[in-house]
Amino acid sequence: MSKLARTLVAGQCILLALAKDSLPVTVSDTTPLGASAHVDPSFAGFGIEPSNLFSFMGQDEPNQMTLNLLDNLVKLTGRPPHFRIGGNTADTMIYREDQDKWDWKKNPNPKGQGNFPTDEFIIGPHYFDAANRLPKGTPVTWGLSLAYMEDDYIEQITTTAKQVIDRCTNLNLVSFEIGNEPDLYGQNGFRTGAWDAKVYTEQWLDRAKAVYKQVLKPKNISSDFFETSCTASTIGTTFEIKDMSTLGITADAPDSSSSFIKSWNQHDYYYYIGVSTYALTMDHFMQLSTTEDQFEAWEEQIDQAHATGYPYALREMGVVGPIGMEGITNTFGAALWSLNFLLYATTLNITSVQFHMTDNSNASAWQPVERYGRQPFVRPLYYSYAAFDQIIGPSCNAQVYQVQPKEFPGSYKGYVKVYSVYQGGQLASVVAINSKPANVSASDKPSLDIKVSLPKSLSGKQMHLARLTNEGADATHNTTWNGISYEKNNDGTPSQVHDDDETASVESDGTLTITVRDSEAVVANLENKVGKGLKADKTACAAFIEKSPGVGSQVGPDGTSKDGGDEDKNAGAGISARGGLVVALVSFVAGTLLLI
């Protein structure tokens, strides 16, 4: 071989080594058939385990990190994230007016049944004061006890419901749920003997009728104020929505033209330690296609819910239960996974998703108090919320569509997801998530070119890129979204670590190339930086309010807060809203009873 030939071959080898894999996709400039319904700006929410409420919200002093982290999200969407205060410990709490501590109190003489007694914790007025610190107008679903069966069970549930409404006037209470994961009551010891969806329906209706008659109706609140089902899993049970809807749970309430139902409500964990039947690895976790595989049974439940005419909320979601998994849920990989899950969930027309949090979980978006020798800190998963919220924005008319590539480069199959996001029916963003694992230790991380075919009418348009990134999938700190760190200041406030305006242009043939490193997500936003120029669509926002009116304070269609009553001056609401297939089990870990 001649010297020239050898040189040419060597050059070709170098070019091949440097060449990136590419993924062709086609994206419409207007909302395609099959896109999601309008996405509520409060869609990406959180759940707080009731026994951990004071950890997240503070005791006699507010937890400022929590308030700062929530304020960040309010500024991105104009509305607070939807919160669920519920879980297994909601079924183990009773209320006493004379319990005056900024904490729950262990009942010295519990009488309730169950592996953990249904009257194990005693709460008082300050419990509701602590919850009332959430940002003004926060939509809240509040869990009431179904498990408690002592002689005063009606008095307990109605008193608790009244305390929520009367004391949490800073919040927008949109629904009550009665009971947590009734499909597990037999395992938990909350019920013995015959226990199925029929018996559950009878006992649920008994309590719903009492709360409506004694608490809601006197305040002119409609009967359809409850979320039902609240199951961990319906697989192999009588708790499927299509079956429950035939048992009378959706019948009209007495003296009302509506039923008791506002929404169906179910729970899920991608993986559950001690229940899932395989060993979870980072590689398996980051194959985003496995998320849809695991969620298949839940997709069936969503279809069943929509067939009844009532919406479907995923009020308790988790990556790994019961309290996460070191090296999985506390890594940057979990941020990519969670961003994908939130976008995917919108395309199923789930109304809202609450990622569940406990103060000792590696899967919580932040650690609110000192644990395991570490001061409070922000986990990478939180950044998925910041990214999602800035993509969706405050408009109330965002829609999401999952783009389906015809083929993947062999090594990327299962690891890449692409979504197009529309505002007011027009293309706003293209989101590319490349979850193929590339760890911090890898010195040369590969990239993938997403070749987006757009209509030629967009040729010459500039796309502004924002990256959800870190040094690798296994990184546990120093994540950034759109150049912002929420860790650097150690208090949850944002810090702009770089303000680069990275752009890419649509070529004359309509092609846009987005380069996404392995273990990274990129958002390409049309003509503006992501989130810029988006405003609340008053008509669209009013439609969300009309579909789910609440009690207390509310963020109006224009993004301004409206009071529902005087705030408790002792509640210390630190900020206000500003426009801008696994079965879960009870777990007792590190001295804390967890809902899972």
Side-chain angles (χ1 to χ4, degrees):
M1 182 182 292
S2 69
K3 182 177 180 181
L4 176 60
R6 287 196 301 270
T7 301
L8 290 173
V9 170
Q12 289 173 340
C13 290
I14 292 171
L15 289 173
L16 287 171
L18 293 175
K20 298 186 187 77
D21 284 314
S22 64
L23 175 67
V25 297
T26 300
V27 170
S28 171
D29 61 345
T30 56
T31 308
L33 185 67
S36 73
H38 288 169
V39 180
D40 189 331
S42 298
F43 176 91
F46 300 99
I48 295 180
E49 181 62 35
S51 61
N52 290 176
L53 178 69
F54 288 106
S55 293
F56 282 93
M57 301 312 304
Q59 295 181 308
D60 54 343
E61 293 293 331
N63 186 316
Q64 197 59 49
M65 173 175 275
T66 291
L67 300 182
N68 290 341
L69 289 169
L70 297 179
D71 193 33
N72 298 334
L73 302 179
V74 172
K75 290 173 182 175
L76 297 176
T77 62
R79 296 163 194 278
H82 191 127
F83 263 78
R84 173 198 183 226
I85 299 175
N88 216 37
T89 52
D91 269 331
T92 62
M93 287 182 167
I94 59 172
Y95 176 79
R96 294 285 184 265
E97 184 71 25
D98 60 356
Q99 206 282 68
D100 61 357
K101 295 186 176 186
W102 284 89
D103 204 345
W104 49 259
K105 178 182 176 183
K106 201 74 176 287
N107 190 345
N109 299 298
K111 298 179 181 178
Q113 77 286 0
N115 301 338
F116 301 100
T118 57
D119 55 351
E120 181 174 18
F121 300 106
I122 301 172
I123 59 172
H126 287 316
Y127 187 85
F128 307 97
D129 297 340
N132 203 40
R133 291 169 174 160
L134 286 166
K136 194 176 190 66
T138 294
V140 172
T141 296
W142 196 290
L144 303 173
S145 178
L146 173 68
Y148 186 75
M149 294 183 67
E150 300 304 303
D151 292 343
D152 62 342
Y153 75 94
I154 292 295
E155 179 185 353
Q156 274 295 325
I157 195 170
T158 55
T159 299
T160 302
K162 189 174 188 302
Q163 289 294 316
V164 178
I165 294 174
D166 291 349
R167 289 186 175 274
C168 296
T169 57
N170 191 56
L171 311 182
N172 182 30
L173 180 68
V174 296
S175 55
F176 286 124
E177 60 175 32
I178 301 176
N180 177 73
E181 299 179 353
D183 51 309
L184 300 181
Y185 271 21
Q187 297 177 43
N188 295 344
F190 288 158
R191 293 294 187 271
T192 57
W195 178 253
D196 56 15
K198 184 177 185 297
V199 181
Y200 160 77
T201 297
E202 294 168 356
Q203 296 187 9
W204 189 93
L205 286 171
D206 175 47
R207 288 157 175 80
K209 288 174 184 176
V211 172
Y212 173 56
K213 181 179 179 181
Q214 298 184 34
V215 182
L216 301 181
K217 191 174 181 181
K219 295 178 180 291
N220 295 316
I221 301 171
S222 62
S223 61
D224 53 345
F225 203 76
F226 300 88
E227 298 187 5
T228 191
S229 185
C230 309
T231 49
S233 173
T234 59
I235 299 170
T237 75
T238 60
F239 286 86
E240 287 197 61
I241 289 173
K242 66 180 177 60
D243 298 327
M244 292 185 63
S245 63
T246 67
L247 297 174
I249 205 163
T250 59
D252 285 351
D255 303 319
S256 174
S257 59
S258 301
S259 72
F260 289 117
I261 309 300
K262 172 166 280 190
S263 175
W264 298 98
N265 161 334
Q266 290 184 336
H267 307 164
D268 181 41
Y269 285 80
Y270 169 78
Y271 185 91
Y272 204 93
I273 295 171
V275 176
S276 298
T277 57
Y278 63 95
L280 183 62
T281 64
M282 178 67 88
D283 184 74
H284 182 88
F285 172 58
M286 295 190 71
Q287 291 181 48
L288 299 179
S289 58
T290 64
T291 297
E292 297 177 24
D293 295 340
Q294 190 277 329
F295 206 64
E296 182 178 3
W298 278 258
E299 285 198 37
E300 293 177 6
Q301 292 301 298
I302 295 166
D303 291 341
Q304 291 178 21
H306 292 159
T308 69
Y310 295 102
Y312 179 100
L314 193 61
R315 288 286 182 239
E316 182 176 332
M317 183 61 203
V319 184
V320 176
I323 58 169
M325 180 184 290
E326 182 79 22
I328 298 284
T329 58
N330 64 327
T331 68
F332 177 63
L336 296 175
W337 188 95
S338 300
L339 175 60
N340 175 68
F341 187 86
L342 290 169
L343 292 166
Y344 162 63
T346 67
T347 68
L348 301 177
N349 290 322
I350 296 172
T351 58
S352 185
V353 173
Q354 280 63 48
F355 272 76
H356 197 63
M357 299 196 297
T358 64
D359 64 11
N360 64 343
S361 173
N362 268 315
S364 297
W366 65 95
Q367 184 170 299
V369 293
E370 182 180 357
R371 277 280 192 175
Y372 313 121
R374 290 194 64 180
Q375 294 299 315
F377 65 95
V378 180
R379 290 188 177 87
L381 190 147
Y382 174 82
Y383 290 81
S384 64
Y385 277 78
F388 178 87
D389 282 354
Q390 195 160 29
I391 293 165
I392 298 302
S395 68
C396 298
N397 63 22
Q399 293 174 272
V400 180
Y401 179 76
Q402 184 175 170
V403 180
Q404 300 291 350
K406 292 182 179 179
E407 58 180 321
F408 290 87
S411 62
Y412 284 94
K413 187 175 182 180
Y415 294 102
V416 180
K417 293 292 181 181
V418 179
Y419 298 87
S420 50
V421 181
Y422 300 83
Q423 298 282 355
Q426 300 297 312
L427 178 66
S429 304
V430 178
V431 183
I433 305 172
N434 177 0
S435 65
K436 189 175 180 183
N439 288 338
V440 174
S441 59
S443 58
D444 186 16
K445 298 176 178 66
S447 296
L448 176 69
D449 280 345
I450 311 294
K451 296 286 187 178
V452 184
S453 178
L454 295 165
K456 290 184 179 180
S457 60
L458 295 179
S459 64
K461 297 289 186 181
Q462 196 171 59
M463 307 291 284
H464 296 256
L465 308 185
R467 295 182 183 271
L468 176 61
T469 192
N470 203 316
E471 292 183 359
D474 57 344
T476 58
H477 59 279
N478 292 335
T479 298
T480 60
W481 155 247
N482 202 12
I484 295 173
S485 169
Y486 296 101
E487 303 163 65
K488 189 175 180 180
N489 297 336
N490 296 318
D491 61 0
T493 57
S495 177
Q496 191 84 44
V497 295
H498 71 79
D499 196 21
D500 302 337
D501 187 11
E502 184 183 359
T503 60
S505 295
V506 182
E507 297 172 17
S508 58
D509 64 352
T511 299
L512 170 69
T513 301
I514 306 171
T515 301
V516 193
R517 195 204 71 198
D518 290 2
S519 297
E520 187 180 62
V522 177
V523 179
N525 201 69
L526 183 61
E527 295 194 291
N528 279 309
K529 288 186 175 182
V530 64
K532 292 288 186 181
L534 296 177
K535 296 180 180 179
D537 179 323
K538 293 182 182 180
T539 301
C541 292
F544 278 120
I545 295 171
E546 183 179 358
K547 283 190 292 186
S548 188
V551 179
S553 296
Q554 194 171 72
V555 179
D558 58 355
T560 58
S561 298
K562 298 181 179 180
D563 288 338
D566 294 333
E567 293 182 25
D568 182 343
K569 302 303 180 183
N570 293 321
I575 56 176
S576 61
R578 292 176 282 189
L581 163 70
V582 294
V583 178
L585 301 173
V586 171
S587 181
F588 191 83
V589 183
T592 302
L593 176 62
L594 304 178
L595 150 132
I596 313 288

